[in-house]
Amino acid sequence: MSKLIAGLAHINLLVPPGTFDQAEAFYAGTLGMTRVPVPVMQKDTLAWFDITPGGKEVHIAFGTNEDQKSPRHPCFKIESTEALLKLQSKIWEHFNSTETKGKPTEVDKPGERDSGEQSFEYPKRFFARDYAGNRLEFSL
């Protein structure tokens, strides 16, 4: 039997209504993703960000995250230990900055133990929460 699922196309995360500017600040500004056009009929209700050029995406939609401490999360694969540390430091700087637009609500401090379950089976990683409370994992 052949595989029916060939990969992952996108993930969808919820943010409060009217906060696409904050999504732009965090997902494009801090994480370095590229904002891409959405279908014309949905331009006021969705924002899309490319993770890889022409490939996998993060879709941002208006909605309410009922549980701001939910363990649900996507995991973004990072290409190297150096890139992982660089990204963690960038998110940490945004978290500690006076800039409030798109400011993450949590991030594991660089150089310290990550906030996830601890086991030798887990790769090098860290966690953060975007400005809307969405938990994000970044891993080798």
Side-chain angles (χ1 to χ4, degrees), residues 103-124:
K103 188 174 187 170
T105 60
E106 292 178 12
V107 62
D108 292 338
K109 186 175 182 179
E112 294 189 2
R113 185 175 159 176
D114 71 66
S115 59
E117 293 293 325
Q118 301 298 307
S119 171
F120 69 90
E121 300 163 322
Y122 290 114
K124 180 85 174 131

Side-chain angles (χ1 to χ4, degrees), residues 52-120:
T52 58
K56 292 149 185 54
E57 298 174 344
V58 173
H59 291 186
I60 302 296
F62 293 143
T64 302
N65 289 311
E66 299 297 329
D67 180 359
Q68 291 294 307
K69 294 295 183 181
S70 171
R72 292 185 318 266
H73 65 277
C75 180
F76 298 98
K77 188 164 186 68
I78 309 301
E79 63 187 21
S80 69
T81 301
E82 296 77 26
L84 185 71
L85 183 56
K86 182 178 179 180
L87 180 60
Q88 185 176 19
S89 295
K90 189 172 182 181
I91 297 171
W92 181 256
E93 287 173 16
H94 191 179
F95 175 71
N96 286 296
S97 76
T98 57
E99 173 58 55
T100 59
K101 186 183 273 187
K103 188 174 187 170
T105 60
E106 292 178 12
V107 62
D108 292 338
K109 186 175 182 179
E112 294 189 2
R113 185 175 159 176
D114 71 66
S115 59
E117 293 293 325
Q118 301 298 307
S119 171
F120 69 90

